[in-house]
Amino acid sequence: MSKRSSQDEHEASRRMKTEFLIQMDGLVQSDSLVFVLAASNFPFDLDPALLRRLEKRILVPLPEEESRKLMFASLLTKDIAEPGLENSFGEFAQKTKGYSGSDIRLVCKEAAMQPLRRLMNNLQNEYGDDYLDEVLPSEVKLDLITKEDVLIALERTSASDAYDPAKYEQWQNKFGVV
């Protein structure tokens, strides 16, 4: 629901947005109980007509250190991570200041790929390029995620550049309603 503009937007897109706003107006006139929850990474690009129809507008900031620590705990569970890795979640949380929840999820996915990369390298070194034909899946055991895996993942990933706290706070001060 980006801002409607006559120059950069296709007519079909503009009509679709107008229809959406008409349908939202219809919800207000209905006796039905409908809860609409919307989210946007770019609230400053939303159409002003949509903003008028949304009663509550709340800025959800990037996660604090404790929240980031809990995200690592949630994503790097005991069944996939080596014992004791939970002792490093605080360190990981400190290293990910400015990261969004999505960025942290990406770090954990990258860390989860490290045991697979090690396994594939070991198989290739042992069996050569035909290792896929030589090894049965039942013979393969994947290692658990280690602290070093997460540290490598942190080196390979970075926080999204799109988040400018001042810009979001300015929007919240202008349009936010709590």
Side-chain angles (χ1 to χ4, degrees):
M1 281 298 298
S2 60
K3 295 175 184 166
R4 292 172 285 176
S5 66
S6 58
Q7 54 195 355
D8 298 335
E9 188 172 36
H10 192 275
E11 179 62 27
S13 176
R14 197 170 25 259
R15 283 194 307 249
M16 185 273 310
K17 291 174 186 178
T18 301
E19 180 63 24
F20 180 78
L21 295 170
I22 290 168
Q23 294 297 324
M24 282 194 73
D25 287 340
L27 290 174
V28 173
Q29 298 168 1
S30 167
D31 289 337
S32 300
L33 294 176
V34 177
F35 179 78
V36 176
L37 178 66
S40 174
N41 290 342
F42 300 101
F44 29 81
D45 290 340
L46 293 174
D47 192 276
L50 175 65
L51 286 176
R52 286 192 302 272
R53 288 166 173 83
L54 299 173
E55 293 179 19
K56 302 284 184 187
R57 295 177 293 273
I58 303 168
L59 173 66
V60 179
L62 290 176
E64 298 289 328
E65 185 173 325
E66 185 60 28
S67 297
R68 295 191 306 272
K69 183 178 176 181
L70 292 171
M71 286 179 201
F72 280 109
S74 172
L75 295 167
L76 299 175
T77 58
K78 292 179 181 178
D79 58 327
I80 62 169
E82 71 178 357
L85 186 63
E86 65 274 3
N87 299 330
S88 300
F89 292 161
E91 177 186 344
F92 302 154
Q94 289 175 350
K95 290 179 181 273
T96 53
K97 183 176 183 183
Y99 281 55
S100 68
S102 179
D103 295 333
I104 291 171
R105 182 180 206 84
L106 183 63
V107 167
C108 292
K109 282 183 174 183
E110 179 64 26
M113 289 301 295
Q114 293 301 9
L116 181 61
R117 289 183 182 116
R118 274 194 305 275
L119 174 66
M120 299 304 277
N121 284 338
N122 291 341
L123 290 174
Q124 190 169 24
N125 289 340
E126 187 173 338
Y127 297 101
D129 289 336
D130 297 329
Y131 65 92
L132 292 176
D133 298 329
E134 301 286 332
V135 180
L136 296 174
S138 60
E139 298 172 356
V140 176
K141 183 172 182 328
L142 197 59
D143 292 338
L144 297 174
I145 299 169
T146 66
K147 179 179 179 178
E148 291 74 29
D149 294 335
V150 179
L151 293 175
I152 289 170
L154 285 168
E155 289 176 11
R156 292 182 178 174
T157 58
S158 60
S160 301
D161 291 339
Y163 189 75
D164 176 6
K167 188 174 183 179
Y168 285 86
E169 288 172 21
Q170 180 183 15
W171 182 89
Q172 177 67 20
N173 291 336
K174 184 174 182 181
F175 296 106
V177 178
V178 179

